[in-house]
Amino acid sequence: MRKKWLLSLLLAGIVSVTAACGNTDESAENNNEAPETQEEAAPVNAEQPDMPEPDLAGIPDVVASVNGKDISKEDFESVYVNQFMQAAMQAQMFGEEVNQDELKEQMIESMIAQELLKQEANKAGHEASEEDITNTLEDLAAQYGLGTSDEFLAALEEQGMEREEVMSELSLQVKVDKLIASESGEIEPTEAELKEFYELAIAQQAEMGGEDVEIPPFEELKDEIEKQVKLQKQTEVAQALVGKLREEADVTINL
């Protein structure tokens, strides 16, 4: 089965925005978590169980339909396997198991949300210029440590994706980004909001037993904190938009 690696990369941001739309309370709680906090993992020397395999039995050819647009078995499996492997590695660290039924439900809801955002972006007339696509491609290459855009494209070709398909997915990503930006408007976090985020990070670090970990002063982290707060606010806007679109959409899930 061809691995749509780019699809997973491009949608990673939207997954974080939309995956928990079906569970708003849990999503809100997760959005307030500081990115640097970690739970106490199982002892390194503890015997680790074998890595589980993703359960792909019984996946229908058409997993879901969103306003007449099908989400195929191939697309679902490629995204699900990627997310399952990440979840399985994390769960194994804590001696837990992945609830695959729950994860599948989260993934199909996330993909439905992604499709709704794509459709709405096209409906709103958002365009993706060549410059927009090039900038997004360069950002992704830098984000994933793949050097230049050409190196990034070469890595994707090794995963079985043609250049035209890559550019098509990038175009969709740009349009969705513009849609969310238009919905959220200009976001300017206040100094109080930034300091609240910083204090929360310190409190969570202490709660997780990291009192000995030295957190840099607020001024050193201010720019990064501002990015995190803006992303959090955009996430909230996107969740609200997805909720509205979901209520009005014709959605069928066959999973």
Side-chain angles (χ1 to χ4, degrees):
M1 179 182 68
R2 184 180 63 177
K3 294 181 180 179
K4 289 195 173 181
W5 185 47
L6 175 65
L7 183 62
S8 297
L9 293 184
L10 291 181
L11 299 183
I14 307 179
V15 167
S16 67
V17 169
T18 60
C21 284
N23 192 335
T24 307
D25 293 338
E26 180 180 350
S27 174
E29 180 179 346
N30 291 338
N31 283 339
N32 288 326
E33 291 181 357
E36 297 182 1
T37 60
Q38 296 181 351
E39 296 182 31
E40 184 178 354
V44 175
N45 294 330
E47 183 178 350
Q48 298 293 335
D50 294 335
M51 183 65 70
E53 294 290 331
D55 178 14
L56 302 178
I59 304 295
D61 291 337
V62 176
V63 181
S65 178
V66 184
N67 294 325
K69 173 70 173 181
D70 290 343
I71 295 176
S72 70
K73 173 181 179 179
E74 179 185 11
D75 285 349
F76 176 79
E77 287 185 347
S78 63
V79 174
Y80 177 72
V81 169
N82 179 279
Q83 294 296 320
F84 171 79
M85 295 306 295
Q86 294 183 43
M89 286 188 289
Q90 183 176 2
Q92 191 177 59
M93 290 175 60
F94 302 104
E96 300 172 352
E97 294 184 1
V98 177
N99 185 327
Q100 295 207 49
D101 289 338
E102 183 177 293
L103 183 60
K104 287 175 184 176
E105 182 178 344
Q106 291 174 352
M107 286 303 97
I108 193 56
E109 285 294 340
S110 174
M111 294 183 77
I112 289 169
Q114 293 154 17
E115 181 59 36
L116 287 170
L117 289 174
K118 291 177 185 178
Q119 292 179 9
E120 183 65 14
N122 285 324
K123 181 180 177 181
H126 292 290
E127 299 292 341
S129 68
E130 185 174 342
E131 181 181 3
D132 292 331
I133 294 173
T134 298
N135 290 339
T136 301
L137 182 60
E138 291 175 350
D139 289 344
L140 281 169
Q143 180 180 350
Y144 290 95
L146 293 172
T148 67
S149 299
D150 288 339
E151 290 173 332
F152 185 69
L153 288 170
L156 295 174
E157 288 178 1
E158 291 180 1
Q159 297 292 322
M161 291 195 73
E162 300 294 336
R163 183 183 181 89
E164 292 77 12
E165 189 175 9
V166 172
M167 294 305 175
S168 176
E169 293 291 347
L170 285 169
S171 177
L172 286 171
Q173 176 66 24
V174 168
K175 292 177 182 179
V176 169
D177 287 345
K178 288 186 175 183
L179 171 66
I180 295 175
S182 68
E183 291 287 326
S184 61
E186 191 68 24
I187 298 176
E188 294 294 340
T190 65
E191 189 82 358
E193 288 176 320
L194 299 182
K195 288 184 177 179
E196 180 181 359
F197 188 96
Y198 178 74
E199 295 297 333
L200 176 63
I202 293 177
Q204 289 183 337
Q205 188 72 32
E207 183 180 345
M208 304 311 297
E211 295 89 345
D212 296 333
V213 177
E214 183 176 352
I215 298 179
F218 171 75
E219 291 300 329
E220 290 185 20
L221 298 176
K222 186 174 180 179
D223 289 344
E224 183 60 33
I225 291 174
E226 184 173 358
K227 292 178 184 178
Q228 293 291 330
V229 173
K230 285 184 177 181
L231 178 59
Q232 182 173 313
K233 289 180 178 292
Q234 286 181 327
T235 298
E236 293 167 356
V237 170
Q239 287 176 335
L241 177 59
V242 167
K244 177 183 176 182
L245 296 174
R246 186 72 160 82
E247 290 178 358
E248 300 170 352
D250 180 12
V251 177
T252 302
I253 300 176
N254 303 317
L255 191 62

